Every structure is written in C-alpha cells, then in structure tokens.
Amino acid sequence: MIRNVTDTNWHARSAKAVLSEFASDLGGLSQAEVERRLYQYGSNRLPAAPRRRPLKRFLIQFYNVLIYVLLAAGLVTLLLGEWVDSGVIFAVVLINTLVGFTQEGKAEQALAAIRDMVLPQATVLRDGQRVTVAAEALVPGDVVLQEPGDRVPADLRLLAARNLHIDEAALTGESAPVDKSIEPVAVDAMLGDRRCLAFSGTLVTTGHGRGVVVATGLTTELGQISGMLAEVPTLVTPLLQKLARFGRWLTALILIAAAATFTFGWWLRDYTLAELFMVAVGLAVAAIPEGLPAIITITLALGVQRMARHRAIVRRLPAVETLGSVTVICSDKTGTLTRNEMMVQAVAMADAVYQVSGSGYGGRGEFRCRDTQVEPAPHLVELARAALLCNDASLTRRGAQVQLSGDPMEAALVVLGEKAGLAPDQERRCGPRLDAIPFDTVHRFMATLHCTSAGEALILVKGAPERVLAMCEFQRGQGGEEPLDSVYWQTRIDAFARQGLRVLALAVRPVAPGRTELGFADVETGLTLLGLVGLIDPPREEAIAAVRACRAAGIRVKMITGDHAVTAAAIGQVMGIGDGRNYLTGSELDGLDETALSEAVANIDVFARVSPAHKLYLVRALQARGEVAAMTGDGVNDAPALKQADIGVAMGLKGTEVAKEAAEIVLADDNFASIERAVEEGRTIYNNLKKTILFILPTSAAEALVLIAAIALGTLLPITAVQILWVNMITAVTLALALTFEPAEADAMARPPRAVNEPLVTRYMAWRTAYVALLMVVGTFGLFLWERSQGTPIDTARTIAVNTLVLFEMFYLINSRYLTAPVLNRAGLTGNRIVLWAIALVVLFQLAFTYFGGMQALFGSAGLAATDWLRSVLVSGSVLVLVELEKLAMRRFGAGGSSRSTSISASQIDSS
Ligand code: ATP
C-alpha cells in the first residue's frame, strides 16, 4: 500500500526512493493496478468552472435595448388600461427572452462538446509498453514520458532528464524555461527551484524526460492554486462585434424614426395619443432586428458542430469567419497529404539495390535483387538490425491485427527487420539501448548507443541521407568496410527520391566498450554507412481531390515539408501541387532577399527540407502579399508559424499539445481533405449569415415602413401596432431561423475567396434590402387601399394586409435560400426541409390568426374568403418572381456583363 501522496517532499528525495514509495518501477504500473488507483484517487482532472446558471442566462436576456423599449411600452399601455396591447407586448418580451435563452444554451452546449474533443493526452509506460492515454487517466505511480511540445499532464518526480527544459510561466510566472535534472534539492527549495519536479500544466520546450506521477488533479500544484479549469470563453467574434456595432447604430436610428413618426402624427395628423404611442412601439420592435445576434451565434455554433463532424475541430470561433477568406493553404506532406502508412520498398547497399515486397505492416515479404528472390546477405541483415534498434516504434500483433505505437515510418523499419528474419524483442534484449539522441526536425537524425551481447558498444544513426552521409567516412560492402563512395550514394538517393520514395540513411560506429553516454560529438565523423532505405508513403486519394477542389475555389495549396526536395516534388506532382520540377529548399530560402522571397512564395508551390523557422518566414511573406494563409503544423517549434498564420491548423493525432494550443483548428484525422471541407463549411456559414441578414433587414424594414407610410399619408393603419408585434413575433422565431440550416450551395467552392475586409452589409445587400422592402410595402399597402376602395370592412382589410405581409416574407424566404443563384427549380424550392417546415408553421399561425375566435378578439382580425387569399397570394408571390429577375440581372450585368459564370459574378457582386 502506498502512503498518502499529499504530504511528502518528493523534490528532496532520490528518484529511486520516490519510485518505490509509489510501488512503481521503471516499466510503469500494470493496467490492473492503474484501475485500482484510479478508483482510489479519482481521475486526473480539475473540476470545470461552473457554467452560467440557467436563471442568470435567462435574466441576461433582459439586458437588451429592445426589451427595455418593450417593457416600458408594456407598462405604459398597462397604465392606459389597454389590456390587450399590454398583454401582447409582455408575451413578445417573454417569447423573445425564451428564444434567446434556448438558442444561446444550445450554442454553448455545442461549443463545450467540441472543446472536449481535444482533450490532452499523455504517453506513459504501462506493463513496460509505451502507450498513449488521456491525461485524465493518469494515476500516482504512473511513469510518464515527456517530449518537446508536451504539456506536463500531472506533477512528476523526474526519473530521467535529457536536456529537459520546461516553461513554468503558467505556474511561477517565470518566462525563461527551467533546466531540469533528476538530482534532489533542499527540502525548503522554492517551487521554481525544485528542478527534479515537473509540474502539471507547464510546458516542455526542449529535451526529453520521464517521471513518476506524484500528484494528480486537485492535489497538483496547479490544482491547488486555480482549483478549476478556465471558464468557457464567451461567443464573441469579430463578426459579432461588427454586428453589435451595426445593431446599436441601427437601433438608435430606428428609435429616432419612431420618435419622429410619433411627433409627426401628433402635430400633423389626428391620431390618438395611445394609437400613436403603439405605432411608435410597434415600428421600433418590428424594425430592430433583435433576433440577429442570437441567430448568428447559433449559425456559428451549428457550423462548428458540422465541422467537427468533418473532423475539423475549431478551437477559436473567429476562425470560422476567416476560413471563408483563406487564399492559400500551406500543408505538411507526411501524414496530411500522404497516408503515413509507410512501407520499405527498396534498400540500397554499396553493391546492390534490393526491392522489398509485402503489404502494409504485415511482417511477411521477400527481398529481390534484379528480379530474383534472394536471402538477405549478412550486411543487409546488419542494416535491418540497425533500423530496428535505432527506433522508438513498436508493433503488437494479435492474429491479423497490428497495433502500432510510435512513428509509422519507424514502424515500417521494424517490419523491415522482421522481413530480414529478426525478432524485434530478442534484438532489443541482446542489444539494449544505453543512451540516445532523439530525432529532431532541426538536426534530422536520431542516434542510439547500444551494448552488444559480445560486450561491444555501438552507435547507430538513422536520418536524412545528406545529413548522415556527411557524418560517414566508410561504407559497408560485401566484404567489410570500404571508403565512402559519395557519388554512388548520391545517385541512389536521387533515384529513390525521383520515385517519390522517402529516403533514410543508416550508419554505424563501434566505440570503446563501457561507454554509457552519447553526445553530438560522437556522431559527427567516422561513421560507416550501412545503406539507404526507400519508403513509400502513398498520397491520400481524398487529399488529391481536395487539392483539386481548392484550386477550383481559388485557393492555392503549397507543400511545406521537412522531406527531401526531389521526393516532395515527385509526390507534389502526383497530388497536383507544383509541376514536379520547381521547388525551393530551406537553405535556398535562407539566401533570398525580401523581393526574391516574395516572388518565390508567389510562384513556387513545393518547399522542402524546411525547418519550422522557415514556416514562419513563409507565412509572413505570404501575408505581406495580402494572402490569407492557413498553415499546418505539429511540433513544438511550429507554434510560432501556427500563431502567425491566419488559420493555424494542428494535427490531432501526431500534433503536440503546444501546436494544438497555438492553432485555431485541430484536425482529428490529420487529413488535408478535412481542411478543405472546413474551408467549404466556413464559406457556407458566412453565406448563411449573409442570407439571414439579407432576409431580416428588408422584412423588418417593411414591417416598420408600412406603419410609417400610413402615418405619413394620414390613412387608417393597414396593420395595427399589435398586429405588427404579432407578425414580428411569429416570423422572427420561425422564418429567419430556417436559413441557418441552409446546406452548402453547389458552387460554394467554385467561387474565389471572400475579401477579408468585406463589410457586413455590402452595397449590393443594401440595394437588395431597399428593393425588397419597397416591394413589400407597396404590395401590402396597395392591396389594403384597393380593398378599402372596394368597400371591404376595416378588420377584413387589415387581416388581408397582415396575411399579405407574412406571405411576402414566406416567398422572400425562398428567394433568400441562394444569394444570387436561381431558386425557381426543384432544389431551390424544396432543398431545405426546415424552410418548408417553417413556412408550414407560419401558415398554421396565420390560419389561427385569421379564423380563431380568441385571436380575432385579441388582434381584431376577421375570417377571409378564398378570393381574399388568392389576391394576397398573387400580390405577395410577385416578390418571388421579381427578386429572381433582379438576381438574373445582377448575374448578367452586375459584374461587368459577364454572363458566363454565375459563381464568379456572384461573389464579385457580394464584395462590391
Ligand atoms: P512533413 O514536414 O511534411 O511532415 P517530414 O515528416 O518528412 O515531412 P520531418 O519530420 O521534418 O519532415 O523529417 C525530416 C527528415 O528527417 C525526413 O525526411 C527524414 O529523412 C528524417 N527523419 C524523419 N523522421 C525521422 C526519425 N524518426 N529518425 C530519423 N530520421 C528521421
């Protein structure tokens, strides 16, 4: 039984003592023990900050100018004894707040669920095996491995530290990373001086380490300070801010218009004060687009949910808006454009080239040399052994099932060893690893130190061929060591790379027995090259299609890879990125001045052998050209480029925690195609917002203008103030909401990206608003006047006017489904079922309004005859045709007379 874990000074004790205190060992705990401890200590999690309570969320809905206006009006009408008006006004308030309350709740829930999808993970040793688990599942005594980019998942007593530096700013505020070691420190050392501990929530910047978990959850240092996770951020995005500003401005304008109407009616027309007061309230309520912020929030939240279903998890909401403007996507190659299911296809030795057969991670396959099957020669076996030992991956086979842990490329090298007749476990036992220089994208190789069963010590190196070649003086021939023939190897590297193979070189160097440490100086020279391996990494079919789709959407795709230039160019060509000939390497980039760099980023699509620093350099150069750039990354050093990019995209599977935290979007499947789908979704969301605005503005304006026009002309009101409140209430929660469910338009990815600085309401949108509002007012008012001239009683004429206005909105809702494309076709009329449901619901409401006795008493409505309805439908249906004609004219002449493509002209109109 282990002791209570909260009362001990782990930093003052030796690593070994702490390990045994937790009844653990270097191979970690057993799964059964982990489960027992999980039960005993609970999961390694801080309680989430309490969500806003429903009552608070409900009350917050009242914090809104419109509601103030309504409440004041409700009170005044109550005082005036206008029970019906006052009742309707309070009902409007209640319905408005309820709708806002439920919509916001749903949006919050959707976003919280998405945030849970990027839970931190940790690499631990369990039963001696390296496994990746959710950080939540850690227990005291677990042995955790730490790499650059990891966020320390619990408080650890370090057992090993190699150049391990940890940024503890989150805990101590100290920004310089702390150099960690395993030596115990004084009992009274301050938190920042406890160098043998790694604290939960801090960040590994460089080096590697492993440590035993000494505290989890609330018992960690961080847990004791903060006690809970950061609160869920609010749903504020630049667009919502823009909208809030626009809304405030509009509200002020509308209130002035309402006051002016009131004053005008009072001075120049003879309406009663109560009547005018209600008109002013009715028109203010009708014109203020109060539902818009809630609708936009829900549109964003729904879109984010849809993106998550497409494996793109949005971490920052504003990204959704930027996505639609992306003009260039810079993507890693390995695993994002390619499948990262590697297999060694060829091996080049000093005297021969072997083809290796087999498929995937199946351990069976044969070696062929000049089309003849051969038994692997001893020097080929030696190469395979080096590939197996200088390697961190492992494969577990259960029947036909293969479970892979570690880098897929390294796993492919384990399989190569198996094909050469080696048993991985036995090899690892016979040549145990004493020390290692881990792989790093900057130095591009990995080295390990082993002792052999014969008591010798060996350094094994594997890495990028040009890097390893530079360390070698000799090569392994059939008969032993020979001087290195660099020209021969260079031709082999080129030949492999031209076939799109990923090339690795393997080398060896015996050292004096007894060595236990490995440094960079040990591998710089004097190595013997064992040979080259060429690995295939097939492109993802769906990524090829996605690259094509991006091109059609006016988005350029650039490959930014650490791999060999010729390999990258060959794969790029297959994928439709670059022409297979033009590329730039990282070192070539270093030599460019600003103008040359700017030209290079414009013309070249493949950048190879780049380091993370180059990525930052490239993003900046692209942005300086006015591009809106998305950039992918996974390592800790990629974080600056991800932050700089307009859309940083981190890999969910192979990405480090740091990269994920720096990114706007995390790809759950590391797949390029998911970026393309996210862009499409981003465009759709923005389009849906535009459609909603384009629906709400003219309909709100029309509702208000009908009242203003009546007062201006001094006629009887065609629609009374309470009736306007009714219209506003039923249409705002039904029709306007339906557009948020619009699926992507067929040509969403056939248009160029939207300009980032496009205003919320473009000139075209302003024109459409005026055009439609005018049609609605003239239609509704005109029909009312005509009815009156025919002697229709006032209640009936008003009921006709109300129905006409609502029908206008229904027809225009159908127009609004597509911004500029025609809707008078099957897809246009029936493509969004929610639009049809919303229309059906409003029809029911209107039937009740017209025929239901209670409603007639409340709203002064009257039953209508079939011919009344017919006239209403004929008048209001005109909007469907007239807006379609307007769209047609815009498509034809709106963008310089180009009638060839609706899509191009559409977006040009949009941003004009
Ligand atoms: P991308 O940047 O597109 O993901 P990449 O995986 O090839 O491509 P890096 O991880 O930076 O980029 O690798 C650069 C080079 O380093 C590789 O081309 C390979 O030659 C070498 N390399 C990669 N992984 C290892 C490893 N585990 N051990 C040794 N060398 C490696």
Side-chain angles (χ1 to χ4, degrees), residues 289 292 295 687-703 730-739 765 768-769 772-773 776 805-817 819 835 838-839 842 879:
L292 205 50
I295 287 180
N687 279 344
N688 286 359
L689 292 181
K690 242 183 185 168
K691 290 173 190 177
T692 313
I693 295 176
L694 214 42
F695 175 78
I696 288 185
L697 287 187
T699 49
S700 306
E703 289 168 18
I730 57 153
T731 54
V733 295
T734 49
L735 301 184
L737 208 57
L739 288 173
M765 288 165 78
R768 166 79 73 81
T769 302
V772 173
M776 291 184 177
L805 185 61
V806 173
L807 282 165
F808 257 125
E809 296 195 18
M810 289 180 199
F811 283 118
Y812 180 56
L813 181 67
I814 297 178
N815 291 122
S816 305
R817 289 201 51 220
L819 286 169
V835 163
I839 289 179
V842 173
V879 75

Side-chain angles (χ1 to χ4, degrees), residues 277-471:
F277 178 74
M278 277 305 288
V279 166
V281 170
L283 97 81
V285 174
I288 297 174
E290 71 279 2
L292 205 50
I295 287 180
I296 292 205
T297 310
I298 198 131
T299 306
L300 288 175
L302 282 176
V304 164
Q305 241 175 347
R306 272 200 304 261
M307 280 192 207
R309 244 175 274 136
H310 286 149
R311 328 290 298 145
I313 297 150
V314 175
R315 296 193 63 249
R316 295 196 180 86
L317 210 53
V320 181
E321 293 156 23
T322 321
L323 267 173
S325 303
V326 164
T327 58
V328 46
I329 304 176
C330 301
S331 173
D332 283 347
K333 171 178 71 69
T334 313
T336 311
L337 292 166
T338 64
R339 295 220 289 259
N340 213 4
E341 286 163 13
M342 303 221 192
M343 198 187 86
V344 176
Q345 197 175 53
V347 179
M349 310 290 297
D351 49 0
V353 176
Y354 298 90
Q355 303 302 319
V356 188
S357 67
S359 74
Y361 292 104
R364 266 195 282 271
E366 52 194 36
F367 292 85
R368 297 182 146 262
C369 186
R370 293 192 200 89
D371 285 336
T372 334
Q373 187 196 337
V374 292
E375 277 309 305
H379 62 319
L380 179 54
V381 175
E382 185 186 0
L383 173 137
R385 182 175 293 117
L388 184 70
L389 292 176
C390 185
N391 194 319
D392 286 324
S394 63
L395 294 168
T396 328
R397 297 186 192 282
R398 278 192 201 92
Q401 285 257 332
V402 188
Q403 205 187 350
L404 187 156
S405 156
D407 178 12
M409 181 189 73
E410 295 200 326
L413 295 178
V414 175
V415 175
L416 176 74
E418 291 175 332
K419 288 177 183 167
L422 302 172
D425 285 338
Q426 193 191 342
E427 292 299 325
R428 289 187 199 115
R429 263 196 309 278
C430 295
R433 185 192 290 188
L434 303 174
D435 199 8
I437 300 176
F439 171 75
D440 188 306
T441 45
V442 177
H443 55 247
R444 293 199 186 96
F445 72 88
M446 158 176 183
T448 48
L449 174 69
H450 300 261
C451 65
T452 66
S453 41
E456 297 160 343
L458 274 185
I459 298 175
L460 300 176
V461 177
K462 87 169 190 303
E466 69 279 12
R467 187 76 180 85
V468 177
L469 218 55
M471 302 168 173

Side-chain angles (χ1 to χ4, degrees), residues 31-46:
Q31 195 53 41
E33 180 61 17
V34 168
E35 271 151 36
R36 200 187 63 71
R37 291 190 190 189
L38 208 52
Y39 181 72
Q40 183 183 354
Y41 295 103
S43 58
N44 176 32
R45 184 174 38 189
L46 298 181

Side-chain angles (χ1 to χ4, degrees), residues 631-812:
M631 166 70 87
T632 67
D634 46 23
V636 57
N637 301 330
D638 287 335
L642 293 180
K643 278 197 184 131
Q644 175 73 36
D646 298 280
I647 299 280
V649 184
M651 300 300 143
L653 298 176
K654 66 171 186 172
T656 56
E657 292 302 320
V658 174
K660 289 181 200 168
E661 285 169 24
E664 268 83 24
I665 288 182
V666 177
L667 298 184
D669 57 358
D670 292 10
N671 189 344
F672 179 81
S674 304
I675 310 181
E676 183 261 332
R677 276 197 297 262
V679 169
E680 178 170 355
E681 201 57 64
R683 289 184 172 197
T684 302
I685 292 172
Y686 203 90
N687 279 344
N688 286 359
L689 292 181
K690 242 183 185 168
K691 290 173 190 177
T692 313
I693 295 176
L694 214 42
F695 175 78
I696 288 185
L697 287 187
T699 49
S700 306
E703 289 168 18
L705 282 174
V706 170
L707 295 182
I708 294 181
I711 302 285
L713 298 176
T715 64
L716 277 177
L717 291 175
I719 299 177
T720 65
V722 251
Q723 287 173 343
I724 277 291
L725 288 180
W726 159 265
V727 172
N728 188 258
M729 187 169 69
I730 57 153
T731 54
V733 295
T734 49
L735 301 184
L737 208 57
L739 288 173
T740 57
F741 296 93
E742 259 318 304
E745 282 190 40
D747 63 349
M749 288 298 272
R751 305 175 191 174
R754 167 176 57 85
V756 248
N757 53 2
E758 185 186 288
L760 187 63
V761 179
T762 60
R763 269 201 315 223
Y764 172 63
M765 288 165 78
W767 143 251
R768 166 79 73 81
T769 302
Y771 175 63
V772 173
L774 198 71
L775 284 179
M776 291 184 177
V777 174
V778 170
T780 309
F781 211 162
L783 186 58
F784 171 76
L785 291 180
W786 184 84
E787 291 288 347
R788 292 294 289 159
S789 72
Q790 302 300 303
T792 312
I794 182 71
D795 283 354
T796 312
R798 278 186 174 148
T799 311
I800 293 176
V802 168
N803 281 326
T804 310
L805 185 61
V806 173
L807 282 165
F808 257 125
E809 296 195 18
M810 289 180 199
F811 283 118
Y812 180 56

Side-chain angles (χ1 to χ4, degrees), residues 55-72:
L55 181 67
K56 190 169 170 203
R57 249 183 35 225
F58 181 73
L59 290 179
I60 274 188
Q61 304 301 324
F62 287 88
Y63 180 63
N64 176 329
V65 187
L66 179 81
I67 301 290
Y68 296 158
V69 172
L70 280 172
L71 285 176

